[in-house]
């Protein structure tokens, strides 16, 4: 895939480029003929529609162009689930906004990297946990099975086991709290219960959820 010869991102944002299949093909090469090409075209359309919110110096930066190329490689080579792709796309576009300060932008780059390592179901689990965190409740449980059951109900799965299949990777990515270990025994509760009751998200998990839900 000839991504090394892409024109500048601002060039691709010209409507005469992305509205023309032939013109965009010259910029993106064979990738346009695929499902990946249609996804990239929609990214360009969304950025163009939000042009008033975009920082021109950021979009012209080497970092943004590298992130865009990485995004093309990701969608073309990995064919990500819809939820993963939509989340990654939203985070990338957010990095271009003029109201984002440099420290937040650096965090968004990290969140984009994490997002690309998750499946669509894992994205939905994080979003479901965030919904639990935001809703008013008087409960203060930190029971893993109950948490998984609540998440399953929210994201349209039938059993808590379907959620728990992804537990290890979400813990590995530091997005949810690990299970509690007492005297060498793993319990059906999680650690850090004082600041993650009911929802189980870590601070990083909360930030990731915020980056693609708001």
């Amino acid at each position: 895939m000839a991504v090394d010869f892409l024109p500048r991102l601002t060039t691709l944002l010209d409507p005469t480029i992305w509205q023309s299949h032939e013109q965009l093909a010259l910029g993106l090469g064979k990738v346009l003929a695929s499902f990946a090409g249609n996804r990239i075209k929609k990214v360009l359309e969304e950025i163009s529609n939000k042009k008033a919110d975009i920082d021109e110096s950021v979009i012209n930066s080497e970092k943004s162009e590298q992130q865009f190329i990485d995004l093309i490689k990701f969608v073309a080579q990995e064919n990500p689930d819809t939820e993963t792709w939509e989340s990654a796309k939203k985070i990338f576009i957010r990095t271009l906004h003029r109201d984002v300060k440099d420290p937040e932008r650096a965090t968004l780059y990290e969140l984009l990297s994490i997002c690309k390592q998750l499946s669509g179901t894992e994205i939905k689990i994080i979003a479901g946990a965030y919904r639990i965190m935001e809703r008013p409740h008087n409960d203060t449980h930190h029971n893993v099975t109950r948490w998984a059951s609540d998440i399953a109900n929210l994201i349209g799965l039938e059993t808590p086991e379907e959620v728990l299949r992804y537990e290890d990777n979400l813990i590995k990515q530091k997005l949810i709290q690990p299970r509690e270990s007492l005297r060498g025994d793993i319990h059906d509760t999680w650690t850090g219960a004082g600041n993650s009751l009911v929802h189980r998200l870590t601070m990083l998990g909360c930030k990731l959820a915020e980056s693609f839900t708001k």
Side-chain angles (χ1 to χ4, degrees):
M1 186 175 58
V3 295
D4 294 336
F5 303 102
L6 282 175
R8 294 183 68 82
L9 182 53
T10 45
T11 302
L12 288 174
L13 292 180
D14 184 344
T16 62
I17 299 294
W18 56 258
Q19 288 178 355
S20 165
H21 189 283
E22 293 75 16
Q23 289 294 320
L24 191 54
L26 293 175
L28 295 180
K30 293 181 181 179
V31 70
L32 183 67
S34 68
F35 178 57
N38 290 327
R39 283 179 159 185
I40 292 297
K41 181 177 179 179
K42 289 179 181 178
V43 173
L44 297 172
E45 290 174 348
E46 289 186 33
I47 296 174
S48 183
N49 290 336
K50 297 179 178 180
K51 206 178 298 184
D53 300 324
I54 301 299
D55 187 323
E56 189 171 338
S57 64
V58 172
I59 202 171
N60 283 324
S61 70
E62 182 178 341
K63 183 70 172 178
S64 291
E65 293 188 357
Q66 184 59 56
Q67 290 289 330
F68 181 63
I69 290 172
D70 288 346
L71 203 64
I72 292 175
K73 290 179 179 179
F74 173 62
V75 71
Q77 296 172 3
E78 302 297 331
N79 188 25
D81 295 337
T82 299
E83 296 84 1
T84 304
W85 170 248
E86 289 297 323
S87 300
K89 178 181 68 173
K90 188 168 184 178
I91 296 170
F92 171 70
I93 294 174
R94 181 62 185 160
T95 68
L96 305 176
H97 281 213
R98 66 175 71 253
D99 63 347
V100 173
K101 304 300 182 184
D102 286 343
E104 181 186 355
R105 186 170 288 111
T107 294
L108 286 170
Y109 290 144
E110 291 298 319
L111 295 176
L112 179 56
S113 177
I114 294 170
C115 178
K116 290 189 289 187
Q117 299 179 60
L118 301 179
S119 69
T121 301
E122 287 167 334
I123 290 290
K124 290 195 290 185
I125 290 170
I126 293 299
Y130 191 71
R131 286 171 60 189
I132 290 175
M133 185 186 74
E134 285 197 310
R135 70 188 184 188
H137 54 76
N138 297 318
D139 204 349
T140 57
H141 82 83
H142 55 114
N143 179 275
V144 169
T145 302
R146 183 171 173 185
W147 169 81
S149 181
D150 288 345
I151 296 291
N153 289 334
L154 280 172
I155 66 176
L157 299 178
E158 293 185 343
T159 66
E161 288 79 11
E162 291 169 271
V163 173
L164 294 176
R165 290 181 59 237
Y166 301 93
E167 181 183 21
D168 288 345
N169 189 48
L170 293 174
I171 291 173
K172 179 182 176 182
Q173 296 293 340
K174 310 295 185 185
L175 300 174
I176 63 172
Q177 300 286 0
R179 292 189 183 221
E180 198 167 17
S181 176
L182 297 174
R183 295 182 294 279
D185 295 326
I186 304 300
H187 289 246
D188 198 26
T189 54
W190 62 80
T191 58
N195 59 7
S196 62
L197 290 171
V198 185
H199 60 84
R200 202 184 176 184
L201 292 173
T202 63
M203 290 182 63
L204 181 60
C206 290
K207 282 191 170 295
L208 178 62
E210 288 172 355
S211 71
F212 63 76
T213 57
K214 296 202 171 192

